Amino acid sequence: EAPRRIDEVQGYAAHRVLRKHSLEARGALEATERQDADAESLGDRVEDDTRIRETTLWLGPQIGITDRLELTLPVEMAWASAVGIEQEFEFRRYAAELRYRFTKPANELAPIARFAVIRDVVRRDVIHAELDATVGYAYERLYAAGSLGVTGDVNRGGLRLTLRPGVGASYAITDDIRAGAELHAEFEKDSGSTDWIVAGPSFAWTH
């Protein structure tokens, strides 16, 4: 249930909060391959191969401050390689996130408020902030939730706001496998930006 990027809203997957004085580590590993539009940017090659292979690692220790308040300190790192260049390591982003649950852990209804501040190592003049409200409901093997989030990018040029609603539901087929559907959207405040809505099935396996 970990996000692939620390600047992606966690959405309805973040329905729980750690107990007081507890500690966990969350993370995600993603490998991608993309075609480079400018072949000359990679220098001389032994082969005519313009593919860039990238591995991204996301790590975030979580600290249970109280039974309802949780602190997460994620970082994001990446390794990139291609034919003709040496493998490159990059420390991309770091963040701090607070998550508060308004009901007791045993309650089936779980309203969560989340606030996060994210800094990009390269673009140091930009501060990215996220504020989300999530409500989740669990009943036996069924879990459903909806979220409404606002993100903001602040720099010397001004403020950019984005509204990000989402809704989803999943059913536990077995103790390790869940299947369901999700709908997410983004609406930009700027008139020149592109709004989008996406919906589709979801499948998760945990072990």
Side-chain angles (χ1 to χ4, degrees):
E1 295 181 345
R4 293 179 299 171
R5 294 285 190 274
I6 64 174
D7 58 350
E8 288 182 0
V9 65
Q10 295 193 25
Y12 73 87
H15 65 277
R16 68 180 183 91
V17 169
L18 293 181
R19 293 185 179 276
K20 184 179 180 180
H21 298 157
S22 59
L23 175 66
E24 286 188 9
R26 300 180 65 206
L29 183 66
E30 181 184 58
T32 60
E33 183 177 281
R34 67 181 188 272
Q35 196 77 16
D36 186 26
D38 183 7
E40 295 181 358
S41 65
L42 297 180
D44 297 330
R45 290 181 176 76
V46 177
E47 302 175 10
D48 185 16
D49 187 353
T50 61
R51 291 173 296 175
I52 298 178
R53 299 167 183 85
E54 184 177 86
T55 301
T56 303
L57 176 64
W58 181 95
L59 291 174
Q62 293 177 288
I63 305 166
I65 300 174
T66 70
D67 286 342
R68 298 188 182 185
L69 181 63
E70 175 186 295
L71 172 66
T72 305
L73 300 170
V75 295
E76 183 182 326
M77 298 164 284
W79 292 263
S81 63
V83 176
I85 64 171
E86 295 182 359
Q87 184 170 335
E88 184 179 82
F89 171 78
E90 184 181 22
F91 178 56
R92 287 187 171 175
R93 300 177 183 91
Y94 59 94
E97 174 188 308
L98 285 172
R99 188 158 56 240
Y100 183 80
R101 175 172 175 146
F102 292 90
T103 57
K104 296 180 179 180
N107 199 314
E108 295 177 342
L109 187 66
I112 299 284
R114 171 182 172 268
F115 176 71
V117 176
I118 299 153
R119 293 299 304 272
D120 192 297
V121 175
V122 178
R123 299 178 60 195
R124 298 188 179 184
D125 61 329
V126 179
I127 298 177
H128 179 83
E130 300 181 359
L131 180 63
D132 304 295
T134 303
V135 178
Y137 179 75
Y139 178 73
E140 295 182 352
R141 290 181 171 270
L142 178 66
Y143 180 75
S147 66
L148 181 62
V150 177
T151 69
D153 292 297
V154 183
N155 59 17
R156 295 178 181 178
L159 174 64
R160 177 185 177 186
L161 293 176
T162 304
L163 182 67
R164 303 201 293 190
V167 64
S170 65
Y171 184 82
I173 301 172
T174 68
D175 292 339
D176 298 333
I177 299 175
R178 301 188 69 91
E182 302 180 18
L183 184 147
H184 297 278
E186 277 196 7
F187 303 102
E188 298 277 357
K189 180 183 177 182
D190 298 335
S191 58
S193 302
T194 301
D195 299 333
W196 58 265
I197 300 175
V198 60
S202 63
F203 181 82
W205 175 72
T206 57
H207 184 68

